[in-house]
Amino acid sequence: MATVKVKLRPSTVPGKAGTIYYQLTHLRQVKQITTKIHLHPQDWDSNKAQIIFTDSTSYLLQCKIDRDLDRLKKIIYKIDAECANYTVNEIIEKFYQTTADYSITDFFTQQIQKPKIRKQSQWQSQLQ
């Protein structure tokens, strides 16, 4: 079975944000899927492999990562069930195919199902 890890590739330019990527490994073959998510190293928890929440934007970026990981795991599970002989490239191809098929409706449905994180000021304004 293939494995997926989320990692931050630091920028080679000091002070610039690095790039989040997904590392896929299967039968000692390792490939990467680069995302468009850019973070500074202080905003990334490498032990937990997730974003450190500082504001609502970081929460939305983590939701995107979680959604991508969920899709990758479903692809791997499906390919594993269908055949034993597959490559990491096949997983990546299916990932890009499902990215094109993923709709805005799917995104909002998933956001509705996630718990909401509110700031203290938002709670106080609702109590008044």
Side-chain angles (χ1 to χ4, degrees), residues 44-78:
W44 180 250
D45 184 343
S46 58
N47 294 329
K48 293 181 181 178
Q50 68 180 26
I51 296 173
I52 298 170
F53 296 122
T54 56
D55 57 14
S56 60
T57 304
S58 58
Y59 175 74
L60 291 175
L61 290 174
Q62 185 62 49
C63 287
K64 165 124 178 61
I65 292 170
D66 293 342
R67 187 176 70 237
D68 286 348
L69 286 176
D70 186 51
R71 285 185 19 243
L72 281 167
K73 288 176 184 176
K74 286 178 182 176
I75 290 167
I76 292 167
Y77 180 77
K78 187 175 180 182

Side-chain angles (χ1 to χ4, degrees), residues 8 17 20 27 34-35 37 42 44 46 49 59 72 90 92 94 107-108 125:
L8 174 68
I20 296 291
L27 299 175
T34 303
T35 69
I37 300 171
Q42 66 267 19
W44 180 250
S46 58
Y59 175 74
L72 281 167
E90 291 175 58
I92 294 171
K94 289 191 183 287
F107 173 76
F108 282 119
S125 67

Side-chain angles (χ1 to χ4, degrees), residues 72-100:
L72 281 167
K73 288 176 184 176
K74 286 178 182 176
I75 290 167
I76 292 167
Y77 180 77
K78 187 175 180 182
I79 292 176
D80 266 344
E82 291 172 357
C83 64
N85 297 328
Y86 63 91
T87 65
V88 175
N89 289 332
E90 291 175 58
I91 298 169
I92 294 171
E93 286 174 20
K94 289 191 183 287
F95 178 77
Y96 285 124
Q97 286 173 354
T98 58
T99 301

Side-chain angles (χ1 to χ4, degrees), residues 13-57:
V13 179
K16 285 199 83 175
T19 305
I20 296 291
Y21 68 96
Y22 309 128
Q23 179 179 295
L24 291 114
T25 307
H26 180 62
L27 299 175
R28 291 188 227 144
Q29 184 181 21
V30 180
K31 296 279 184 173
Q32 297 176 358
I33 298 175
T34 303
T35 69
K36 294 180 181 179
I37 300 171
H38 300 283
L39 296 171
H40 290 281
Q42 66 267 19
D43 295 331
W44 180 250
D45 184 343
S46 58
N47 294 329
K48 293 181 181 178
Q50 68 180 26
I51 296 173
I52 298 170
F53 296 122
T54 56
D55 57 14
S56 60
T57 304

